[in-house]
Amino acid sequence: MFCVHVNRCCPIIPVAHNESNFTNKPSVGQELLGKKAKSWELIQSLQGEAIICDRSHDNYEWCFLNRPSILDKNSTTFSTIGSQSGNSTEKIRPYPRKWEKLTMSLVSEITLTTWSIEKPCEIYHETPALVFSVSGYTGNFFHDFNDGIIPLYITLNTLFPDQDVTLVIADFTNWWYSKYEVLLRGFTKQPVINLNNQTSTHCFTSVAVGLISHGPMTIKPIQNPYKKSSFLDLRSLFEIAYSKCSATLPPPLEAGKPRIVFMSRTGNVGRVILNQDQIIEAVKKAGFDVVLFQPTKFTYLCDAYRLINGSHGMIGVHGAALTHSLFLRPGSVFIQIVPLGNDWLADSYFKNLATGLRFQYLEYKIRPEESSLAKIYGLNHVILRNPNLIIRGNWSALDTIYLKKQDVNLDFNRFRMYLEIAFSKANMFLDKRG
């Protein structure tokens, strides 16, 4: 068993290839530890290890059982098949928010061990298994992608870039699987296994547990000789998956007008546009064909993809629903409205995404007088004049004041200038891409 706990070490990326493709060089592996070596050099040097773990990252960790393995139907334990020269065990909770102890306590713990069990293999899979959890913040559309779908894509392209895998899902929920089943079929040709409801023992060629995250809404280039990864590649996978499913046709486009999807927030949720009707009229007067979109937890993603993929832009206040911008075509216009105190979140999440997908990105940062907090605290209060001072290291203040307590009333004239710029860009996109 080999584990990495070096804070600045590059991840060790195990891949279950034919051993003849690699040279076992344990001494080289030891020399590479702690250095900024390519992960492929490390896996070559550590290829003979039975269990390899990388626990060096703040937000995620993963382990790899590099042997034929069996899943006991009565537990969440994967054991090696046959006797081993040494015995070792590793435990891991496969969800990429490692720093949040309360969240992680809700995630099932998975055990990898080289202790063999005397049970027959009832179902044999000629593929490796990748085990991950859909606990945590599952149900929030942003987290479904940021902590689930995107890390899953990264992990598959990092650990298994040239082979199919069997996905094994811990903390399985039927609604989650129903929502993302079409997309999961784009990741693997194998049936998905519900770890919570097994009546048979399953055997795999090897097992990886945990998902690799590159940070909020981020996909960094993956250095391996088999696969290059990016948001553009991920979106191509979306296009293949969602083009195959039945979907309700969106309203027909208005001739000669670029379509923009207006993401609506309603109710007592925070960050609602109080003068939404007036702003929608302004968007129409700017020349757009406007479709109001208010997604829910149970929105059928084939319908959402069909609508958004056929549009030329999106407008919305910072929030989880803007994750639907993943379905916009590269080159689309994306206007993110940023309430007070939301700057870091807006940049880290959806500005990152806009860069990765090559959107024509516009950011409308509201002024203190456009925030509903002005009526509560007054324009000169520090909450409005210096949000960074309030929220620095204080997630509770960010959440309760700036996310949930704040709505926005957009300056009609100022926002109209952004619309003029957006229309010009969207119109050129319409002429170019249709």
Side-chain angles (χ1 to χ4, degrees):
M1 181 269 294
F2 196 89
C3 286
V4 180
H5 299 271
V6 183
N7 289 335
R8 300 185 63 84
C9 180
C10 293
I12 303 175
I13 310 301
V15 182
H17 298 298
N18 187 312
E19 290 194 11
S20 64
N21 293 335
F22 297 97
T23 304
N24 188 13
K25 301 175 182 178
S27 60
V28 174
Q30 298 300 324
E31 293 174 3
L32 290 170
L33 288 175
K35 298 181 180 179
K36 292 185 178 180
K38 291 181 180 179
S39 54
W40 285 87
E41 292 176 344
L42 288 167
I43 184 52
Q44 287 181 43
S45 67
L46 298 170
Q47 212 273 336
E49 299 289 339
I51 300 179
I52 303 171
C53 289
D54 182 355
R55 302 186 188 273
S56 64
H57 306 271
D58 292 333
N59 57 339
Y60 72 90
E61 56 188 18
W62 55 260
C63 290
F64 188 77
L65 181 53
N66 194 23
R67 296 288 187 275
S69 309
I70 184 169
L71 168 62
D72 183 358
K73 63 186 176 184
N74 299 317
S75 71
T76 57
T77 297
F78 292 83
S79 307
T80 53
I81 298 173
S83 59
Q84 300 293 318
S85 58
N87 292 309
S88 60
T89 299
E90 289 287 334
K91 296 179 182 292
I92 181 172
R93 296 182 189 271
Y95 188 73
R97 296 189 78 85
K98 177 180 168 182
W99 74 96
E100 294 189 12
K101 292 184 178 180
L102 179 60
T103 301
M104 295 302 291
S105 70
L106 305 175
V107 177
S108 293
E109 186 174 70
I110 309 299
T111 300
L112 298 179
T113 182
T114 56
W115 292 90
S116 61
I117 58 172
E118 298 299 324
K119 290 188 177 182
C121 182
E122 295 170 315
I123 300 175
Y124 184 78
H125 304 266
E126 295 183 354
T127 60
L130 174 58
V131 187
F132 64 98
S133 171
V134 293
S135 183
Y137 294 109
T138 297
N140 177 293
F141 194 65
F142 168 77
H143 287 287
D144 286 351
F145 279 83
N146 188 66
D147 304 331
I149 300 299
I150 294 173
L152 175 59
Y153 167 79
I154 292 170
T155 306
L156 288 171
N157 282 283
T158 304
L159 303 186
F160 307 106
D162 63 338
Q163 57 188 310
D164 202 6
V165 301
T166 297
L167 302 180
V168 180
I169 302 178
D171 308 307
F172 189 99
T173 57
N174 288 326
W175 77 262
W176 184 92
Y177 181 72
S178 296
K179 189 176 183 78
Y180 297 106
E181 180 182 7
V182 170
L183 191 51
L184 293 175
R185 288 203 298 264
F187 286 127
T188 176
K189 298 175 184 176
Q190 309 303 318
V192 170
I193 293 177
N194 175 0
L195 190 59
N196 297 5
N197 185 27
Q198 285 308 306
T199 57
S200 304
T201 57
H202 291 259
C203 293
F204 306 93
T205 59
S206 57
V207 181
V209 184
L211 296 180
I212 297 170
S213 171
H214 290 168
M217 281 293 173
T218 301
I219 299 177
K220 297 178 181 178
I222 297 171
Q223 293 184 345
N224 65 55
Y226 295 94
K227 185 78 174 181
K228 303 298 180 186
S229 301
S230 69
F231 267 119
L232 293 174
D233 293 325
L234 175 60
R235 200 199 171 284
S236 295
L237 188 150
F238 292 167
E239 188 168 351
I240 293 170
Y242 288 124
S243 66
K244 296 177 181 177
C245 61
S246 300
T248 303
L249 289 176
L253 288 163
E254 291 188 33
K257 290 186 176 182
R259 168 167 286 174
I260 199 155
V261 177
F262 194 104
M263 307 298 291
S264 176
R265 297 175 66 89
T266 60
N268 189 28
V269 296
R271 288 160 288 146
V272 172
I273 301 176
L274 299 175
N275 57 340
Q276 176 173 289
D277 291 344
Q278 182 186 21
I279 295 301
I280 289 175
E281 284 304 312
V283 178
K284 291 179 179 178
K285 287 180 180 178
F288 285 103
D289 169 21
V290 181
V291 175
L292 195 66
F293 186 54
Q294 188 178 338
T296 71
K297 179 178 178 179
F298 300 102
T299 295
Y300 184 44
L301 289 186
C302 290
D303 288 349
Y305 180 85
R306 184 73 60 88
L307 167 66
I308 296 167
N309 180 66
S311 300
H312 306 91
M314 179 179 289
I315 296 176
V317 180
H318 173 80
L322 292 189
T323 309
H324 288 87
S325 61
L326 280 162
F327 299 159
L328 286 171
R329 290 173 290 172
S332 298
V333 172
F334 182 34
I335 304 177
Q336 180 175 202
I337 299 166
V338 183
L340 297 181
N342 284 229
D343 299 61
W344 181 86
L345 294 175
D347 286 351
S348 299
Y349 298 169
F350 301 116
K351 188 176 181 180
N352 260 358
L353 179 58
T355 301
L357 284 173
R358 298 179 186 172
F359 296 151
Q360 300 185 78
Y361 178 72
L362 297 171
E363 191 170 86
Y364 181 88
K365 293 187 178 183
I366 75 161
R367 293 171 176 170
E369 56 269 23
E370 295 173 274
S371 171
S372 64
L373 297 176
K375 290 185 177 181
I376 302 172
Y377 299 102
L379 278 173
N380 293 321
H381 197 285
V382 64
I383 283 177
L384 285 95
R385 292 300 172 189
N386 194 351
N388 289 336
L389 184 64
I390 301 296
I391 64 179
R392 188 175 298 147
N394 187 348
W395 168 256
S396 177
L398 172 60
D399 185 44
T400 57
I401 298 173
Y402 296 104
L403 293 180
K404 294 178 179 176
K405 197 174 184 179
Q406 176 180 205
D407 293 323
V408 298
N409 198 323
L410 303 184
D411 182 321
F412 178 80
N413 291 323
R414 190 164 78 94
F415 191 68
R416 189 167 54 187
M417 292 187 291
Y418 285 75
L419 292 176
E420 291 172 359
I421 297 169
F423 177 77
S424 176
K425 293 177 180 294
N427 210 32
M428 286 190 288
F429 181 59
L430 170 63
D431 290 341
K432 184 178 180 180
R433 297 286 301 277

